[in-house]
């Protein structure tokens, strides 16, 4: 008997659960990498290293040697957007080929592709507007939205599509929601700090947000203090109500990341914003955001995903559909 053809194998291929989870995790990791490399573009003054879009120059799609290191850095960041698109495409393929297919997971994967496309367009607008601080801030915040979606994609890849069961009391879930909102506000205010500070993204760009860097930094610090206060209050409340250890551990992890981020923030402020510390602080903002979202999503649970365990359920559903 001849072996199945390659096309037949492709048509019947179904990725393992581990492959799907790794693909979803890769989407999250690449979204964070894009933020860090985008920060490197800004902090090295390479924001207009490629002065136009979608090409790098009026006559070249890629950076030329004459454009120097700034052109290479900016074009390198654009190239990583292509890498992210490939990773997202792989996540879409694996979630669509998984058996049984989970509609929620597929939708989250496709949403990432739509977000990456929107991010590429906004990146082009940012270049064409000469790094206007509002578009630069929007570029960063859209990345935060993509990271939120990627975090949900990763978490859901290990769960079934059954209705979620709350693990903590309603008041604590409300506090967790408020905490995520406040973290989002702190991240947004961080873009105001950057948009009013010295790192404009290009030495020739002078337009900044009409607020003093000190005032912007104070607002950002106030939001950060509120974030830490809410996190500590939530941790004590979880202990007082004997909440599951998994939720308490995620809260502890969030507090630790917040404290590290706050320390970096103060050091960078008092050392006049060295680019290395600002870049680390941008990475920290991503980690705080992911930790806050993991905590929020961890306040409820669904049965852990196991394709083997769900096969009888899928078979029953198929039989019912055939009978109908």
């Amino acid at each position: 008997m001849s072996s199945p053809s390659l096309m037949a194998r492709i048509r019947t291929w179904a990725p393992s659960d581990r492959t799907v989870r790794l693909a979803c995790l890769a989407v999250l990791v690449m979204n964070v990498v894009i933020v860090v490399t985008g920060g490197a573009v800004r902090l090295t003054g390479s924001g207009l290293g490629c002065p136009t879009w979608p090409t790098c120059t009026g006559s070249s799609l890629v950076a030329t040697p004459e454009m120097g290191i700034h052109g290479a850095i900016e074009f390198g960041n654009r190239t990583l957007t292509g890498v992210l698109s490939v990773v997202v495409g792989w996540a879409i393929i694996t979630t669509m080929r998984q058996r049984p297919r989970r509609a929620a997971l597929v939708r989250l994967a496709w949403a990432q592709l739509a977000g990456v496309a929107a991010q590429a367009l906004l990146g082009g607008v940012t270049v064409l507007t000469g790094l206007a601080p509002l578009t630069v801030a929007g570029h960063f915040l859209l990345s935060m939205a993509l990271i939120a979606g990627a975090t949900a994609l990763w978490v859901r890849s290990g769960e079934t599509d059954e209705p979620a069961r709350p693990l903590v009391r309603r008041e604590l879930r409300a506090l967790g929601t408020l905490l995520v909102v406040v973290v989002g506000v702190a991240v947004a205010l961080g873009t105001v700090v950057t948009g009013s500070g010295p790192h404009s993204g290009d030495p020739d760009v002078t337009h900044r947000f009409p607020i003093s860097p000190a005032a912007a930094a104070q607002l950002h610090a106030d939001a950060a203090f509120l974030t830490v206060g809410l996190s500590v209050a939530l941790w004590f409340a979880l202990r007082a109500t004997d909440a599951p250890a998994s939720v308490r551990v995620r809260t502890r992890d969030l507090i630790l990341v917040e404290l590290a981020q706050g320390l970096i923030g103060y050091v960078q402020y008092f050392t006049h914003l060295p680019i290395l510390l600002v870049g680390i602080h941008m990475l920290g903002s991503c980690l705080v955001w992911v930790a806050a979202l993991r905590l929020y999503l961890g306040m409820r649970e669904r049965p852990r995903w196991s394709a083997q365990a769900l096969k009888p359920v899928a078979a029953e559903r198929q039989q019912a559909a055939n009978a109908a």
Side-chain angles (χ1 to χ4, degrees), residues 31-123:
N31 271 299
V32 174
V33 169
I34 285 290
V35 170
V36 175
T37 57
V41 171
R42 183 187 185 98
L43 296 170
T44 58
S46 304
L48 295 178
C50 287
T52 188
W53 186 89
T55 59
C56 191
T57 69
S59 59
S60 176
L61 178 65
V62 302
T64 62
E66 294 76 18
M67 300 172 70
I69 186 64
H70 295 307
I73 292 174
E74 164 64 5
F75 184 74
N77 186 60
R78 294 188 185 189
T79 303
L80 283 177
T81 300
V83 176
L84 174 60
S85 299
V86 171
V87 172
V88 170
W90 178 239
I92 291 173
I93 292 171
T94 58
T95 56
M96 292 189 68
R97 296 297 305 175
Q98 190 177 29
R99 295 294 181 269
R101 181 188 294 183
R102 287 174 282 173
L105 210 59
V106 173
R107 287 194 296 268
L108 285 169
W110 277 104
Q112 283 291 303
L113 184 61
V116 171
Q119 184 72 306
L121 291 174
L122 184 54

Side-chain angles (χ1 to χ4, degrees), residues 30-40 140 143-144 147 282 285-286:
M30 274 305 304
N31 271 299
V32 174
V33 169
I34 285 290
V35 170
V36 175
T37 57
F140 179 80
S143 287
M144 292 296 105
I147 288 175
M282 292 184 69
S285 67
C286 296

Side-chain angles (χ1 to χ4, degrees), residues 227-307:
T227 298
V228 175
L230 288 173
S231 301
V232 172
L234 178 59
W235 186 79
F236 278 110
L238 291 170
R239 288 183 61 86
T241 56
D242 197 27
S246 61
V247 185
R248 287 186 279 118
V249 167
R250 292 189 182 193
T251 307
R252 179 206 63 192
D253 293 344
L254 173 60
I255 293 172
L256 292 176
V257 176
E258 288 171 346
L259 292 176
Q261 177 74 336
L263 177 61
I264 295 169
Y266 270 107
V267 172
Q268 72 168 5
Y269 179 78
F270 287 110
T271 54
H272 307 292
L273 303 178
I275 62 173
L276 179 59
L277 283 182
V278 176
I280 295 174
H281 198 61
M282 292 184 69
L283 171 62
S285 67
C286 296
L287 299 181
V288 170
W289 185 228
V290 171
L293 292 167
R294 286 189 69 242
L295 168 59
Y296 173 75
L297 294 172
M299 288 183 165
R300 87 291 177 272
E301 71 171 358
R302 291 181 174 88
R304 297 297 299 173
W305 170 260
S306 170

Side-chain angles (χ1 to χ4, degrees), residues 115-151:
V116 171
Q119 184 72 306
L121 291 174
L122 184 54
V125 172
T126 301
V127 171
L128 296 176
T129 56
L131 306 183
L134 187 60
T135 60
V136 174
H139 199 43
F140 179 80
L141 292 177
L142 182 53
S143 287
M144 292 296 105
L146 280 168
I147 288 175
T151 302

Side-chain angles (χ1 to χ4, degrees), residues 187-237:
V187 169
L189 288 174
T191 67
V192 178
V193 177
T194 306
S196 62
H199 301 301
S200 64
D202 187 273
D204 297 328
V205 173
T206 58
H207 40 289
R208 319 297 291 133
F209 282 130
I211 181 174
S212 72
Q218 185 60 60
L219 288 172
H220 179 57
D222 291 343
F225 278 126
L226 180 57
T227 298
V228 175
L230 288 173
S231 301
V232 172
L234 178 59
W235 186 79
F236 278 110

